[in-house]
Amino acid sequence: MTNAVIRSSGLWTPPESVSNDELVACYNNWVERWNRDNADAIASGQTEPKAPSSSGFIEKASGIKSRYTIDKAGVLDIDRMRPQVRRRADDEISVMAEAGLAAAREALERAGRDPADVDGVICSATTMQRTYPCIAIEIQHALGIDGFGYDMSVACSSGTFGLINAINAIETGQARSILLVTPEITTPQLNFRDRDSHFIFGDVAVAFLIERADLAEGGWSILGSRMKTVYSNNIRSNFGFMNACENPEPAFEDRYFVQEGRKVFKEVCPMVAELILDQLQSMQLAANDMKRLWLHQANINMNLMIARKVFDREFSEDEAPVILDEFANTAGAGSLVAFHRHSDGFAPGEKGLLCSFGAGYSIGSVIVEKRAA
Ligand code: CO8
């Protein structure tokens, strides 16, 4: 069997960032207006007034300080509070493919590779902009790759599950080289009028180039991978192609992301730590053999808890780097973005672990080792 390596990565970041203060100011203006408009119903006890949001709460509860979005003006307009995207013609590139393409191009450039070196594109993300043609095939076409492309989706584990699919494709001889692209355009799925979740997500695209080891110089060997899913309704989106046919048709607000954040926190952290420790043990590795954990980026407190359980000691930020302060939760892209931003300083033979966790529930874990350049 041929071995696969992660050869390079690339990132696309939307040009506009929204701070907690900007987001909260917009939300609170909207709440003030809503409470005013519903003053009679509130006074008669028919409805509860809405409570304001707070930057202090957001940073303390999640670690998030800002997020990128594809349209800041739309998100911060209290009459809209969702991104505005120009509807593109069928012969124009889609928003998701454009974001993914930029990240893919950077991954190719960083490896000194050409699209002719690539056999396939996997686009793995929480949601796809449309059903077909696949976003992956659109990216494949834009790059001029002679091969194949397909889309897949496993919520917050989309990136790691996609990576594992790419590794399998190389190791079973389907391809010499695969571009895994995870464009997470999350802000259109977020209810910016929901106090519990309006601050959680941000937009980004990340790409990894996975190659056959015998054709690649440098990069990262794959030592092992794990996937686990356990059914849970604690993180849910009812958005889907049947919405317009459903009777009764779901309201707009019922198609957005919702979660029981506390339950997710409590249930997911032990599952993740247990999976990582079991995976390490099965490979006769110790936690201290991992120079760095590139964890999913949903909540700083979750990451601190998981890393503490895995290392069983205090650890430095360098051992479990954080990108969610700048990017917020970028769903399936989070652990891959953490890797992209923080994979310097490894000597050949040093090891690290990428791990995603989230809706499903789903957990994806990949152990890598730095190769000689
Ligand atoms: N401002 C001020 N106060 C607030 C706010 C706010 N915005 N929101 C809630 N509060 C208040 C509450 O009212 C509550 O007050 P009280 O104690 O008086 O009742 C208090 O703060 C505490 O509320 P919570 O218990 O809800 O707060 P937590 O401490 O649990 O923090 C978090 C909330 C940050 C959401 C936290 O629970 C968390 O991060 N949990 C884990 C979430 C997680 O990892 N989810 C993964 C989801 S992502 C995923 O899987 C991918 C899905 C696909 C993404 C699609 C893109 C949209």
Side-chain angles (χ1 to χ4, degrees):
M1 195 174 72
T2 332
N3 290 324
V5 301
I6 298 172
R7 178 66 196 284
S8 63
S9 58
L11 186 73
W12 173 81
T13 309
E16 296 183 314
S17 167
V18 180
S19 70
N20 286 347
D21 283 349
E22 290 172 311
L23 195 69
V24 165
C26 171
Y27 179 85
N28 288 352
N29 284 338
W30 176 77
V31 163
E32 221 173 86
R33 189 175 75 183
W34 192 92
N35 286 345
R36 213 170 37 239
D37 291 349
N38 292 280
D40 291 345
I42 294 168
S44 67
Q46 275 173 276
T47 187
E48 289 286 317
K50 289 195 186 290
S53 183
S54 112
S55 296
F57 167 83
I58 295 170
E59 193 173 335
K60 188 158 177 282
S62 69
I64 295 166
K65 295 179 184 164
S66 60
R67 70 286 296 141
Y68 294 96
T69 172
I70 50 170
D71 179 42
K72 181 170 180 169
V75 166
L76 295 183
D77 172 358
I78 69 162
D79 293 321
R80 182 173 179 87
M81 293 173 78
R82 59 178 187 275
Q84 177 149 260
V85 181
R86 180 182 62 82
R87 181 156 184 197
R88 297 183 180 189
D90 288 356
D91 60 357
E92 286 183 277
I93 191 163
S94 65
V95 174
M96 272 188 77
E98 187 174 59
L101 186 62
R105 284 205 164 113
E106 192 186 82
L108 286 170
E109 198 182 302
R110 284 163 65 116
R113 290 297 197 210
D114 190 80
D117 302 318
V118 180
D119 292 334
V121 178
I122 300 174
C123 178
S124 191
T126 303
T127 319
M128 295 299 159
Q129 187 172 346
R130 60 159 191 277
T131 315
Y132 45 85
C134 293
I135 304 294
I137 300 176
E138 197 182 353
I139 296 171
Q140 175 202 349
H141 174 68
L143 287 169
I145 291 170
D146 179 16
F148 63 90
Y150 61 87
D151 292 350
M152 56 176 280
S153 179
V154 202
C156 279
S157 289
S158 294
T160 54
F161 277 45
L163 173 59
I164 294 166
N165 256 24
I167 293 164
N168 290 344
I170 305 277
E171 297 193 341
T172 55
Q174 267 171 9
R176 295 163 301 157
S177 172
I178 298 270
L179 266 169
L180 162 70
V181 183
T182 297
E184 286 289 16
I185 308 302
T186 64
T187 56
Q189 303 162 60
L190 192 53
N191 184 355
F192 284 99
R193 293 179 175 151
D194 174 33
R195 179 172 174 259
D196 289 345
S197 64
H198 76 120
F199 57 89
I200 293 182
F201 291 96
D203 300 332
V204 81
V206 65
F208 275 26
L209 181 66
I210 323 299
E211 293 189 336
R212 241 169 61 185
D214 59 326
L215 302 177
E217 287 156 19
W220 303 76
S221 304
I222 313 296
L223 300 188
S225 63
R226 278 268 177 109
M227 298 190 278
K228 186 174 176 71
T229 53
V230 178
Y231 183 77
S232 168
N233 262 328
N234 289 332
I235 313 170
R236 193 167 176 98
S237 160
N238 285 320
F239 168 76
F241 77 98
M242 284 209 191
N243 287 156
C245 308
E246 282 179 288
N247 185 11
E249 192 177 331
F252 209 55
E253 308 78 62
D254 295 332
R255 304 177 193 190
Y256 286 122
F257 163 91
V258 285
Q259 72 166 353
E260 296 274 355
R262 275 279 157 103
K263 284 192 190 159
V264 174
F265 200 114
K266 276 202 194 126
E267 292 172 8
V268 169
C269 289
M271 272 170 55
V272 174
E274 195 184 317
L275 180 138
I276 292 175
L277 289 171
D278 192 63
Q279 182 184 16
L280 289 169
Q281 195 187 26
S282 73
M283 296 170 66
Q284 281 145 7
L285 290 167
N288 283 329
D289 293 327
M290 300 297 109
K291 184 182 170 85
R292 200 162 292 162
L293 307 179
W294 297 282
L295 296 176
H296 177 55
Q297 302 281 320
N299 180 299
I300 183 71
N301 301 313
M302 283 178 102
N303 287 20
L304 292 174
M305 185 180 283
I306 291 166
R308 205 169 287 127
K309 278 193 178 170
V310 169
F311 285 125
D312 196 23
R313 59 171 169 78
E314 291 307 312
F315 56 92
S316 69
E317 195 177 324
D318 191 50
E319 291 176 289
V322 176
I323 56 108
L324 64 87
D325 52 348
E326 175 186 346
F327 287 88
N329 184 340
T330 49
S335 56
L336 275 52
V337 176
F339 176 90
H340 174 82
R341 276 284 182 88
H342 297 280
S343 51
D344 286 346
F346 276 66
E350 287 187 320
K351 301 172 185 61
L353 179 146
L354 286 119
C355 184
S356 67
F357 38 88
Y361 297 135
S362 59
I363 308 174
S365 175
V366 179
I367 299 182
V368 297
E369 179 180 297
K370 183 76 182 165
R371 302 172 84 215

